[in-house]
Amino acid sequence: MSEEENDLLSEEEQAEREAKLAKLEKEKKELLASLAGGDFSSLKTKVAYILNLYPQARNSDITLSIKYWEIFQPDVYNESGILPKDLFKLERLHYIVRARAKIQNEYGLFTSDSPVKKFRKKREEEMQDEVLKDASPRKVITVFSDETGKNQNYVVVASVWVLTGRAVYTISKSISDWQSSSLWANREVHFTKFGRRDSDTLAEYLNIIQANREFLSFKAIAVERSRTKRKIEDVVEKLHEHMLVNGVEHEVEHHRVSPPQTINVTLDEEQSLDAITLAEVKRRVNSHFEDRFGGEMALDTLESVSSRKSPMVQLADLIAGAINRKLNHTGEKNHKDEMADRVIHALDLQLGEGEVDGVDVTTLFKI
C-alpha cells in the first residue's frame, strides 16, 4: 500500500491493518520456531517442512501433496496405487494447498518461482513430466545444541547432528510416538530432573535413539574454566562456533557428508547467546566455510526455540547433562552418575582429550 493510500485510511482501519500484520508476523515466527524445533504437531508445519526440504514442491501443488502423503502418511500412501477406501484417510489436497498459499503468500516463506506465481495451474500442466518425477530433497544437516556447566569447572556445549533433512521428522516422530504412551508422556526430557525411578524409562528412550543411530552424529566440546580468562559469555560463544566448524570438518573427513550442504542450527532458547551474538557466530562460521569449501557449505539458520515442544533439543539436553555429570561431578556417586554412564555408553560418546585448532586453551573435543 502506498503512503498516499495509507493516509486515506481512517484510524480504525489503520489499527485493524496493523493488528493483522502483527498477527501474521506472530504466526510466521511460531511456524519457523516449530520448524526449527522439529515440532510436527500441525498441518502448517508439515507443509512448511516439505516446502523447505523439496524446492520443487514450491512450484507444484501436486508434488507438494505427493511428498506430504509419502512422508507423513506412509501407511496409507502407495505410489503403485491407492485403494479407494484409503483416499478418505489421506490429508485433503485443498487443506495442503490452503496451508501452502498462506505460507507463501502471507508469510513470504519458501516462495515459488515468479512465472509459477502468475500462471500456477497452466505452468503445472506444462511441467507435467517434471512434476511427476520423484522430487529430490535439498542436502541439509540439522544441528540441535545445548550448553551446560557455566558455573562449574568445565563448560560444555553438546549437539545432535541429524545428517539428512528428512531424518529430522523420522526421529522426532519416533521419539514422540514412544513418549506419548511412556511414563514420560507429560514431561520434558531433562537430565537434571531425573530421579531414581527414571532409570528404566531412560533405557527405553535410549533404545529409540539407538534404533535411529544411522541418521545421527553426536558431538560435544568443552573447556576448563580455570585455563581461560575469557568472560563466560565469550567462552560459550566460542564453543558454539568451534563446535560447528570442527563438527563439519569431522563429518566431511569421515565421509558421512559431502558438499554441497546447508547447515541449520537450533539452540535451546534458555542458552546465553543473544541475537547479536548469534549473528556474529553465523558470520564467522560462514567465513570459515567459504575459505574451506568455497560456496558449497553454508550455515543457513541459527535459531533458538523452546525445548518444550522440541524432542531434538531435549535430546541435546540429555547428552549435555550426561557429559556435564561425567566431567564436573566430584562428590559421592549416585543414580545420576549411573544414568550418565548409561547415556554415554548407549550413544557411544567418546570422551578423549584433544586440541582444537584455533582455540587458545586446551579443550576437550568429543565426538
Side-chain angles (χ1 to χ4, degrees):
M1 181 177 290
S2 69
E3 202 172 308
E4 291 179 356
E5 289 174 317
N6 196 52
D7 290 340
L8 295 175
L9 292 175
S10 66
E11 288 186 10
E12 184 178 341
E13 289 172 326
Q14 286 187 30
E16 185 178 336
R17 180 171 176 270
E18 288 172 5
K20 182 179 179 181
L21 291 174
K23 180 173 181 289
L24 285 175
E25 186 61 26
K26 180 174 181 288
E27 290 175 358
K28 177 181 174 179
K29 287 181 178 178
E30 289 173 348
L31 175 64
L32 290 174
S34 295
L35 198 58
D39 173 16
F40 296 97
S41 56
S42 74
L43 169 70
K44 198 187 299 179
T45 305
K46 292 175 182 176
V47 171
Y49 176 71
I50 300 295
L51 293 172
N52 183 32
L53 190 57
Y54 295 92
Q56 300 96 316
R58 302 174 190 180
N59 295 333
S60 165
D61 288 333
I62 301 299
T63 300
L64 170 62
S65 299
I66 288 172
K67 280 298 169 188
Y68 184 100
W69 296 326
E70 177 191 320
I71 293 174
F72 298 116
Q73 297 183 285
D75 54 328
V76 179
Y77 176 78
N78 183 346
E79 63 178 13
S80 299
I82 303 173
L83 294 174
K85 65 182 181 64
D86 287 337
L87 291 173
F88 293 95
K89 301 176 185 177
L90 289 174
E91 188 65 69
R92 298 293 190 269
L93 189 146
H94 62 275
Y95 290 150
I96 296 173
V97 172
R98 188 184 301 167
R100 186 271 304 157
K102 192 171 190 69
I103 292 166
Q104 291 185 328
N105 301 337
E106 297 186 37
Y107 302 159
L109 298 171
F110 316 121
T111 56
S112 56
D113 298 337
S114 293
V116 179
K117 289 179 184 177
K118 294 181 180 179
F119 308 105
R120 191 173 193 97
K121 185 175 180 181
K122 183 175 184 296
R123 288 283 292 135
E124 197 160 54
E125 289 171 352
E126 290 174 357
M127 300 188 308
Q128 179 175 327
D129 291 340
E130 197 66 30
V131 166
L132 294 177
K133 280 183 184 177
D134 187 29
S136 56
R138 293 193 304 139
K139 294 175 70 177
V140 179
I141 299 171
T142 310
V143 181
F144 298 88
S145 294
D146 196 17
E147 62 194 50
T148 187
K150 287 177 286 187
N151 297 314
Q152 297 173 283
N153 187 29
Y154 282 98
V155 187
V156 182
V157 169
S159 57
V160 179
W161 293 55
V162 187
L163 303 182
T164 68
R166 186 157 171 171
V168 174
Y169 170 69
T170 303
I171 300 164
S172 296
K173 184 177 186 299
S174 296
I175 295 172
S176 298
D177 287 351
W178 165 80
Q179 192 168 2
S180 65
S181 58
S182 77
L183 293 178
W184 291 352
N186 298 311
R187 62 182 278 192
E188 283 188 55
V189 178
H190 279 302
F191 186 88
T192 57
K193 295 181 181 179
F194 285 166
R196 293 183 182 279
R197 296 181 180 180
D198 288 315
S199 182
D200 290 342
T201 313
L202 173 62
E204 293 176 19
Y205 175 84
L206 291 172
N207 286 338
I208 299 298
I209 307 306
Q210 285 175 299
N212 292 280
R213 190 67 175 82
E214 65 181 298
F215 305 114
L216 298 173
S217 181
F218 305 109
K219 306 186 190 304
I221 189 168
V223 64
E224 198 170 2
R225 290 188 65 190
S226 62
R227 298 191 184 185
T228 177
K229 294 181 179 180
R230 295 176 184 270
K231 293 190 297 183
I232 189 62
E233 293 81 9
D234 294 339
V235 171
V236 172
E237 177 184 345
K238 287 297 180 183
L239 287 178
H240 277 287
E241 180 180 337
H242 284 278
M243 166 63 64
L244 293 171
V245 167
N246 288 277
V248 167
E249 293 278 3
H250 185 265
E251 292 301 322
V252 172
E253 286 172 10
H254 287 76
H255 308 293
R256 280 193 289 267
V257 302
S258 60
Q261 290 281 352
T262 297
I263 317 295
N264 292 329
V265 181
T266 300
L267 311 175
D268 189 337
E269 69 179 5
E270 293 183 0
Q271 49 78 44
S272 57
L273 306 184
D274 60 24
I276 296 173
T277 304
L278 290 177
E280 280 298 301
V281 170
K282 181 178 178 180
R283 182 187 62 78
R284 290 195 298 268
V285 169
N286 274 326
S287 178
H288 172 85
F289 286 164
E290 180 64 31
D291 292 342
R292 174 70 174 81
F293 301 105
E296 295 202 316
M297 191 74 69
L299 174 54
D300 186 23
T301 62
L302 186 54
E303 305 278 352
S304 58
V305 303
S306 170
S307 61
R308 186 170 59 88
K309 289 188 175 182
S310 176
M312 302 308 297
V313 172
Q314 291 175 41
L315 177 56
D317 172 276
L318 176 76
I319 294 169
I323 294 175
N324 177 52
R325 184 75 181 189
K326 198 71 175 173
L327 292 180
N328 286 317
H329 183 67
T330 57
E332 187 175 340
K333 291 193 174 184
N334 59 26
H335 65 281
K336 283 286 183 67
D337 299 280
E338 294 173 3
M339 289 180 168
D341 287 339
R342 174 169 282 181
V343 171
I344 290 166
H345 175 73
L347 303 183
D348 194 27
L349 304 177
Q350 304 300 317
L351 301 185
E353 280 197 44
E355 291 187 357
V356 178
D357 292 340
V359 180
D360 56 6
V361 293
T362 303
T363 64
L364 300 173
F365 184 49
K366 305 177 179 61
I367 303 282

